[in-house]
Every structure is written in structure tokens, then in C-alpha cells.
Amino acid sequence: MAHRLSRNELANTRQTIKQYYDQAQELSTKINNLKELRSQATEGHVIADFDQTITELLAEHGTVRHLCAEIESKNSPMHALPSELLSLVMEAHVRANHHSPWALIAVSRHWRAVCMSTPQLWSKIHVQISVPWKTDARSFSPNFPHGLVCDNQTGLGVAIARSAAVPLEVTLELGHDPLNTQLLDILCGQAGYRWRHAHIIAPHTPLSFIGAWKKLEVSLPNLHTIGFSQSCDQPMIRLLLSTIHTTSPNLHTIRVDTGLFFSCLHDFQGQFKSVKYLALQGQVALSEGAATRAAWGKLPRVEILVLRNQDFSPFSNAPPFLEALRALSAIGLRLDGLPNVCDRLKCLTHVYLASVHPLDTEFEPNSIHLAGVTHLTLINPTYAPLRWFSLPLLEYLELRGSTMGKADANDEIELIWNPETFGKAPSPSRVFHFEPRANDAYILAAFRFLDGLENLYLYLDSLPPHDSKVLASLAVVPKRKIVAGGPPALKKWRSPTCPGLQKLVLICKIGLQRDAGLVAEMLDKIYRARLGTGSELGRPTLLTGIKTCVDNKAALLLQYNH
């Protein structure tokens, strides 16, 4: 536990700090006086004596200030933090900022003890085996985006020992210099059973490494996630595929950022039936044809598919795992072939689409019928792709990222929600995150088709004007005759716009405090207008100064907890 100063210790500490401050002030006065006398001196030896005396006083002044700061730090709330909580803070800091635990050790004896007894701080390691351009690197770097950098046996041994029995997150970077077999033995032979997450960087895999790997009979029984970087060559991919196929029965996730992966997968004899999560980043050479279909066949039970910047749509090849697919995240992807496989996507519930690749010929309205989808996120410059979908069970819709002008936005909104598309257009029953670009009249017309909406989040570039028709329509009050009927009559009354609304949030990128007060009054008016009625909602919320349009595939995982 952290040491807390008693009342007497605290009083003594304050007295000591005051004494040090007084001493430092006296030294500052002496130094200033001596500097003034030195400026008046003309003889060289006198000036030299002044300089020596001033230097000595400055050193003493620095020592006093250091002692004062050290004693003051004992009063910091951080020193009263229990060791268990301090350990969690350290772990969160290291993970979020990619800082080295070696820096934390140097703060104080207490921090050193906590850091040394927190194995999670040492469990993310970046092992460089014979990397020629980094042979002079220190064993432990102050910043480590891929983990605690280890390029020799001593550094790796320390990291392995201090991480105790905690599962390891390993980045393996391989060069083509003479192989350090001792480093490989510590990492794979002795600690292979602790690998939990692995990231492979190997542009040139030497034959000596393949031979040493096979000689060690590397086993990774607890591996959960493996990632192949863009610079991973075919020998390494084939070696890892063989290892994880025979020794990693619980492999859940494969992340790919290399175009060579699918060619290696196509040639591999065997399936990875435990893999549920597949992420393809960048150009991974997906194409139409028998070879790609055969490669997909090695991953028959994928449930979460994350695609980014692919030239070809995977749906054209009808992957065998479509029946098991439950979540799809696609950024910069063509959707060719998706309407033809909708009947196989029976388990799909969550879809995240961003920057949808433009098509030569657009899909027919409501031609992509996904009967089980409950959550859809569309982050796109236009609303147009939303017209392609038919989602009868939709509960959550996020429609953001539009860069259209008002005229184009008006047309798009009118094409999506109108009397002819009623019952067909994607209409969320619970939650709607919306970045409106159209005029208020078109937005209100769309809201008429969203009567069941419970939570509405509006993302705006700036604060809405005082005469906003959208906010005014939400603030409609019951007529006098209904009010005169008392509480029973009010409970039966429902607002003409979004009658089931329970939560309203306005998120504005910019906004002056003065104008924010006026908008807050408008939101309060909405709250009071619905108070006690059948359309009563909680107090609306106004958030300003928040950047909202983020192109982030991870948003899918916030919606879908696999």
C-alpha cells in the first residue's frame, strides 16, 4: 500500500519546505548582489573570484530547489494512491502512449517497486532477430509502438522474467543477418506457450531461421491472434501457417496486410476452423476466380470480416463462411455481388460501411435485402448507398460523413424516405445517429417515417439557428383542450414529430458559449413541452467542440461485442 503522511509528518514536511524556500530566497538575493558587484569590477582576478563564487552559489541554489521539490512531491496525491490502482494507471499509460516501463522505474523507489511487480507492463515485447539496420539499438527503447524492444538475450530474458506468467503480445521482426539462435530459443522454445498475440515482420526469411524454427519444434498452443505485416514474405507465411495449423487450436483472429497471404493460403493443405475474425488491410490480392474461392475455403467459420481498401468484392466469390458471418466492416470496398448472396447472410446483424467504392452501375433501390441486420453504420460522402438496402429489423442507424451540398442532400433524403419507400427504406426503430446536410423541411419529412425512434443524435458543424424548424417541431405543445383534460389526457397525447423519442443529443463541432446558451434554452423548451405527456423524454444534451466524423473501422466492434 502507498505510504500516507501522518498529521505530524505533514506539519514537519511543510516546515522543512518553508525553510528550504527561505534558504533558496537568500541564495537568490546573494547571487543577484554578486552579479551587480561583478558588473562594476574592472580587474580580471576580481571578476574571476566573483564568477567562481556565483557558480558555487548557483550549484547550492539548485541543490536546495531539488530538495524542496523532492519533499513537496511527498504531498502529491499520487503518493497516496494504493499500489493496486497505481499499477492499473501505469498499465493504461504504457498501453495508450507506447512508453517504456523503464521510464516509470526512475520516478521513485515506490514506483520502481510497483512497476517491477506489475508483469503486464513487460508482456508486450518487440523482438528484433538479426535486424541489420538496428544492430546498434539499445535493448530497451524509451518509446515502443510494437512493444518493449529486445535485440539481445539479456534484454529479452529480463522482459520474459518480469512478465511472469502473463500472456505475451509479441512482435517478431526478422532480418537476413546471421541468425541469433539463442534469442529464438528464449522467445519460441522457452516462451512459445505464452504467446497470446503475434505480429510478424519478415521481408527476407533466411533458410537458417526456417531450419532453427523446425528444429525447436515451436508450439504456440495459446495463440489467439496473429498478424502478417505488409513486408512479410512467402517462406515466413507458409512456416507460420503450418505451425498454427498444428499447434494453435484456439486461434481466433488473423490480420493480413500482405498480398502474398492468399496465394500461400491457397497452396496450404488444411483448414483453420477455429478462426472467427478475419481482417484484411490494404491490397491483399483478392480477385475473382477459382484460386480465391479455394483460399476462402480454408477459413470456413469466419464470423467477423473486416475489409479495407480492396479492389475486388469478396462477395463475387461467394466465400463459404457467409452463413456464419455475423458482422461486416468494410472501408473503401466495392459491394459487387452482395445482392446475390443476401439469402446466405442469415446470421449477419452488424454492418459498418465507410467510403463505399463508387460503382459503374448503382444497385436498384432496396435490392440488398439483409433480413437479420439490426445495426448499420454508413460513413460516406453521400447518403446514396443507404437506398440500396432493405433492413426490416433495423434498430440502430448511423448516417454520417456526408460532404454534399444542401440541394443534393435534399434529393437524397427525399429518395430514401418517401411514401413509395415506406416499409422498405432502412428506418431505425431505436437509435439514429444523423449528420444532416439537407434543409429542415426535408429532415422533418424523413422524421415522419421514423415514429418509433427512441434515441436521436444530431451531428452539426455549428450550433443550430434560433429558428430551427427541426427543434421547433420537437417542442410542439399539446392544445389547450388536452391540457384542460388533466394528467390522463396528457398521457394519451403524443408529439407529431418523433413521438416515441426518449433521448435527444446535439453534437456540434464549433459553437460560441453565448450561442450555446440560446440553444440550451431551446432544448429546455423541448423538454418542458413533452413533460408529463405520452412523448415525455429525458433532458436533452448539448455537446460542443467535438470532432465527430471519424473514419474508423473499430466503430463496428463498439457495436458488436464478439
Side-chain angles (χ1 to χ4, degrees):
M1 296 294 291
H3 174 66
R4 292 176 178 271
L5 296 178
S6 66
R7 186 172 298 179
N8 291 335
E9 289 176 329
L10 189 59
N12 293 334
T13 301
R14 289 173 177 169
Q15 181 64 29
T16 303
I17 292 174
K18 184 178 183 305
Q19 292 174 359
Y20 278 132
Y21 267 125
D22 293 341
Q23 186 178 351
Q25 186 63 37
E26 291 177 6
L27 289 172
S28 296
T29 303
K30 288 182 181 180
I31 292 170
N32 291 332
N33 291 337
L34 287 174
K35 286 181 177 179
E36 184 176 353
L37 292 173
R38 181 192 180 284
S39 65
Q40 299 174 4
T42 56
E43 298 182 6
H45 69 280
V46 176
I47 293 175
D49 291 341
F50 274 127
D51 288 341
Q52 182 178 355
T53 304
I54 291 173
T55 301
E56 293 174 354
L57 290 176
L58 285 172
E60 185 178 356
H61 181 268
T63 301
V64 171
R65 296 288 297 181
H66 176 74
L67 291 172
C68 185
E70 185 177 348
I71 295 176
E72 271 190 322
S73 68
K74 293 182 179 180
N75 292 329
S76 170
M78 184 62 74
H79 285 279
L81 197 65
S83 299
E84 295 82 359
L85 292 181
L86 180 59
S87 175
L88 293 175
V89 171
M90 287 180 173
E91 185 181 352
H93 171 80
V94 167
R95 291 284 177 175
N97 299 285
H98 309 301
H99 286 174
S100 169
W102 289 102
L104 303 178
I105 281 180
V107 174
S108 67
R109 290 192 184 95
H110 176 56
W111 277 41
R112 177 183 177 84
V114 172
C115 190
M116 296 281 283
S117 61
T118 306
Q120 289 82 1
L121 296 177
W122 310 89
S123 63
K124 184 179 180 181
I125 55 178
H126 179 186
V127 182
Q128 299 174 342
I129 299 182
S130 304
V131 180
W133 56 88
K134 297 179 181 178
T135 52
D136 60 343
R138 292 177 297 168
S139 295
F140 299 97
S141 173
N143 296 296
F144 57 116
H146 295 297
L148 198 60
V149 177
C150 307
D151 59 3
N152 58 58
Q153 297 92 283
T154 303
L156 180 58
V158 169
I160 294 293
R162 290 184 180 172
S163 61
V166 171
L168 296 176
E169 185 174 345
V170 178
T171 294
L172 176 60
E173 186 174 5
L174 184 65
H176 49 72
D177 274 11
L179 182 66
N180 187 334
T181 56
Q182 292 180 337
L183 204 62
L184 185 63
D185 179 59
I186 296 173
L187 178 66
C188 303
Q190 301 177 27
Y193 72 96
R194 291 175 53 195
W195 285 31
R196 177 71 173 172
H197 304 281
H199 179 65
I200 311 300
I201 305 173
H204 305 285
T205 305
L207 293 176
S208 58
F209 176 87
I210 298 176
W213 182 280
K214 293 181 178 179
K215 183 177 180 180
L216 288 171
E217 296 182 353
V218 176
S219 177
L220 309 173
N222 296 309
L223 189 65
H224 177 276
T225 301
I226 188 167
F228 298 92
S229 74
Q230 187 175 5
S231 58
C232 220
D233 64 356
Q234 286 188 337
M236 176 59 81
I237 296 174
R238 291 193 176 99
L239 181 65
L240 265 297
L241 287 177
S242 177
T243 300
I244 62 179
H245 181 260
T246 56
T247 69
S248 304
N250 299 317
L251 184 68
H252 178 276
T253 300
I254 295 180
R255 301 179 183 275
V256 181
D257 193 16
T258 172
L260 303 175
F261 177 79
F262 268 80
S263 61
C264 295
L265 188 64
H266 169 261
D267 299 333
F268 185 78
Q269 299 298 322
Q271 292 182 325
F272 296 89
K273 296 182 179 180
S274 64
V275 174
K276 300 293 191 295
Y277 185 115
L278 177 63
L280 306 180
Q281 312 281 339
Q283 301 302 321
V284 297
L286 285 178
S287 60
E288 299 182 10
T292 300
R293 283 194 293 272
W296 282 120
K298 308 300 174 66
L299 302 164
R301 298 179 181 175
V302 172
E303 295 182 2
I304 303 175
L305 181 61
V306 178
L307 304 168
R308 189 183 185 103
N309 299 329
Q310 304 298 318
D311 287 336
F312 294 91
S313 169
F315 306 108
S316 300
N317 293 294
F321 55 72
L322 291 180
E323 284 80 0
L325 196 64
R326 305 180 71 176
L328 169 67
S329 174
I331 300 175
L333 180 75
R334 297 180 65 93
L335 300 180
D336 304 71
L338 181 56
N340 301 326
V341 298
C342 288
D343 57 336
R344 296 179 56 189
L345 296 169
K346 298 177 182 179
C347 295
L348 187 65
T349 59
H350 290 65
V351 177
Y352 177 93
L353 301 175
S355 303
V356 178
H357 199 291
L359 301 174
D360 297 330
T361 303
E362 289 195 356
F363 296 123
E364 291 294 325
N366 312 124
S367 60
I368 304 177
H369 182 76
L370 300 174
V373 170
T374 58
H375 290 65
L376 172 65
T377 296
L378 177 62
I379 311 295
N380 201 60
T382 70
Y383 301 146
L386 189 62
R387 290 191 285 118
W388 306 338
F389 290 89
S390 172
L391 310 170
L393 297 183
L394 189 64
E395 299 178 3
Y396 176 105
L397 175 62
E398 187 171 356
L399 188 59
R400 300 194 288 113
S402 172
T403 57
M404 295 184 296
K406 283 190 178 295
D408 292 334
N410 293 342
D411 294 339
E412 291 288 354
I413 290 293
E414 190 173 21
L415 288 173
I416 295 171
W417 290 292
N418 59 66
E420 293 182 2
T421 62
F422 181 71
K424 301 177 183 178
S427 302
S429 61
R430 293 183 57 251
V431 183
F432 189 21
H433 291 255
F434 184 40
E435 187 172 10
R437 296 295 182 187
N439 291 326
D440 284 359
Y442 288 85
I443 297 172
L444 287 175
F447 282 173
R448 294 195 186 101
F449 300 95
L450 305 174
D451 285 352
L453 203 60
E454 297 177 2
N455 301 283
L456 176 60
Y457 297 79
L458 295 177
Y459 296 79
L460 309 172
D461 290 334
S462 58
L463 292 168
H466 68 279
D467 58 348
S468 169
K469 294 180 180 178
V470 172
L471 296 184
S473 67
L474 294 172
V476 172
V477 298
K479 294 182 179 180
R480 291 183 180 179
K481 182 178 180 180
I482 296 175
V483 174
L490 285 173
K491 280 293 183 182
K492 295 180 181 179
W493 181 85
R494 293 172 64 82
S495 175
T497 303
C498 299
L501 197 63
Q502 299 176 10
K503 184 176 183 179
L504 174 63
V505 181
L506 266 63
I507 302 104
C508 306
K509 295 181 183 178
I510 57 175
L512 299 176
Q513 188 66 31
R514 178 185 67 255
D515 299 331
L518 297 175
V519 176
E521 291 179 6
M522 297 166 60
L523 296 180
D524 185 65
K525 185 178 179 182
I526 295 174
Y527 169 74
R528 294 184 179 280
R530 295 180 172 227
L531 190 63
T533 70
S535 295
E536 184 172 350
L537 80 163
R539 286 194 175 276
T541 303
L542 174 63
L543 303 174
T544 59
I546 297 178
K547 186 177 180 180
T548 60
C549 290
V550 179
D551 181 11
N552 183 8
K553 64 182 174 55
L556 172 69
L557 304 183
L558 298 179
Q559 304 169 23
Y560 180 77
N561 182 6
H562 64 85

